[in-house]
Amino acid sequence: MSKNEKEEHLAIGVDLGGTNIRVALMNKMGQILQEGSRLTEAYKSRDYIIQNMIKMINTVKGDYQIKGIGVGSPGPINQAEGRILDPPNLKSLHQCPIVEMLQSEFRDIPIYLENDANVAALAEARVGAGAGKKSVIYITVSTGIGAGIVIDGKLFVGAQGNAGEIGNMIISEKGPQVANLNTGALEALASGTAIERVGRERLGIDGGAKEVFALAMAGDSVALKIVEEVKTYLSIGIANLMHLLNPSIFVIGGGVMQSGEWLLPQLREKTSHLLFPSMRSHLMIEPPMLDHKVGVIGAGLLVFT
C-alpha cells in the first residue's frame, strides 16, 4: 500500500444486516484491503451491537488514517438525523442514533449513513455491473422490493430520501393489499414474501420462491403460472421505470433473483415488449457482479461521493 493511499484514500464500510455485520477497509476503487464479519445477534441490546461494530471497525482500521466511515443499514432511516428508524429485522436498533454513537468513538472521522438498497446501487454503479454507465437503477427482489438510483455516479435519493421505494408502486388495481402497501403494489405481487404466500395458497407449500421455481422448472403447471405472473409484474415495474428515467442499465439482484437467475432473459424479453419500439434496443438488464460484498463496498464508497 502506497503512502498516499494510506494517508488519503482509505475508508471503512459497514454493512449492518439482520443476520451479519460486515466491515471492510477499502480504497476509493472499491478494493477491499482488510475485512471481517460476525453475527449481528439482533436479539441483544443496542449497546452490545454498536460496541461490537466499533470493535470490528477498530480491528480493520489498525493504525491507518481513514477519510470516513460509511454505514449501510436496512431502512427506513433518517439520514439527516443519522438515525435508524424501525427496520423489521433490527428491533434492538429502532430509533437508534447510530451516527452519534459511532461519532462519540471516532470523533474526528466523518460518519455517513444510507439505506442498504442505496449502498448496493452505489457499489454496482461505481465498480460492478453498471461501472462506466451514466445512469444505473439497482433493483433488489428479496423479502421486499426496493431500488437505488445512481445518476452520474451519485445517488439520487429525492427530497426526503425516499426515492426508489418502488415496492409500493401500483402495478395492478386488482392485486392484493398487504401490510402498509398500496393495493396491487409491486412488492405485494412479486417479492419473495408474495411468492411464498401464493405458493402456499395455490400449491400448499412453504418453501418460498426457491421451491416455487424448482416446481416450475420441473414442469408443474400451477408453479409455471405463478412464475409467469411474477415476470409480468416485474416487467411492468421495469418498463415504468424505463419510461420515467431511461437509465443506461438495470441491475437486478436479491434473493429471489438468485433463486431464479434463469428468469433474466425472459424478463428482458417481456419488458422489451412494453416499451416504445425506439427504446427497446437500449434496454439493458443485467445481474449484479459483487454478490454478498455489495453492501460493505457500497457503504465504503459513500465516503468518496
Side-chain angles (χ1 to χ4, degrees):
M1 185 183 301
S2 70
K3 184 175 185 293
N4 284 343
E5 185 177 63
K6 180 174 179 178
E7 291 181 349
E8 299 176 10
H9 302 303
L10 295 181
I12 288 177
V14 180
D15 179 15
L16 171 60
T19 303
N20 294 292
I21 300 173
R22 292 186 174 89
V23 175
L25 176 72
M26 53 178 279
N27 62 24
K28 64 181 180 180
M29 304 303 294
Q31 296 168 324
I32 292 176
L33 309 174
Q34 305 279 352
E35 62 183 313
S37 69
R38 64 174 63 182
L39 293 175
T40 307
E41 298 179 279
Y43 57 92
K44 292 192 175 179
S45 72
R46 170 195 296 182
D47 287 346
Y48 177 89
I49 295 169
I50 299 300
Q51 286 304 311
N52 253 350
M53 187 184 297
I54 289 170
K55 289 175 186 175
M56 295 173 70
I57 292 170
N58 278 321
T59 297
V60 300
K61 177 180 177 294
D63 63 350
Y64 292 117
Q65 299 297 311
I66 61 171
K67 186 177 176 67
I69 298 170
V71 181
S73 167
I77 63 170
N78 185 319
Q79 191 182 54
E81 295 181 2
R83 182 182 295 273
I84 298 172
L85 297 180
D86 52 357
N89 296 322
L90 288 172
K91 294 188 184 300
S92 296
L93 298 184
H94 281 196
Q95 298 301 322
C96 175
I98 187 169
V99 169
E100 179 184 328
M101 294 178 77
L102 292 177
Q103 203 75 76
S104 68
E105 175 72 19
F106 304 104
R107 296 184 183 278
D108 300 320
I109 301 173
I111 312 291
Y112 303 83
L113 176 66
E114 189 52 82
N115 76 55
D116 48 8
N118 281 346
V119 299
L122 188 62
E124 287 292 343
R126 291 272 189 88
V127 298
K133 303 295 185 185
K134 184 175 177 63
S135 51
V136 179
I137 296 181
Y138 174 89
I139 298 174
T140 178
V141 186
S142 191
T143 304
I145 295 179
I149 303 165
V150 180
I151 301 172
D152 292 329
K154 296 183 178 181
L155 280 169
F156 175 77
V157 298
Q160 286 81 43
N162 295 317
E165 293 290 353
I166 66 168
N168 207 25
M169 179 190 296
I170 299 170
I171 300 297
S172 170
E173 63 180 10
K174 296 180 180 178
Q177 199 286 318
V178 179
N180 60 343
L181 296 167
N182 285 317
T183 298
L186 181 59
E187 187 170 310
L189 294 165
S191 65
T193 304
I195 297 170
E196 181 177 4
R197 184 191 72 247
V198 176
R200 189 164 51 246
E201 291 172 353
R202 300 187 196 174
L203 291 164
I205 60 173
D206 288 309
K210 189 173 183 179
E211 188 173 356
V212 172
F213 291 156
L215 287 170
M217 291 186 73
D220 183 276
S221 60
V222 177
L224 282 167
K225 181 171 174 52
I226 294 172
V227 171
E228 188 62 27
E229 290 171 357
V230 168
K231 287 188 294 185
T232 296
Y233 299 137
L234 287 174
S235 66
I236 293 171
I238 296 168
N240 287 342
L241 292 171
M242 184 67 176
H243 286 116
L244 179 66
L245 293 172
N246 190 28
S248 306
I249 186 172
F250 291 92
V251 181
I252 306 186
V256 169
M257 298 309 296
Q258 289 173 1
S259 299
E261 55 187 9
W262 48 274
L263 289 175
L264 217 52
Q266 300 166 37
L267 195 56
R268 290 188 193 104
E269 182 179 3
K270 210 170 185 67
T271 302
S272 179
H273 289 307
L274 300 175
L275 302 177
F276 283 128
S278 59
M279 299 177 71
R280 291 172 184 168
S281 63
H282 300 288
L283 176 68
M284 290 187 67
I285 302 176
E286 298 295 334
M289 288 178 56
L290 301 176
D291 298 324
H292 66 280
K293 294 186 179 181
V294 66
V296 76
I297 292 173
L301 289 175
L302 289 171
V303 176
F304 300 110
T305 55

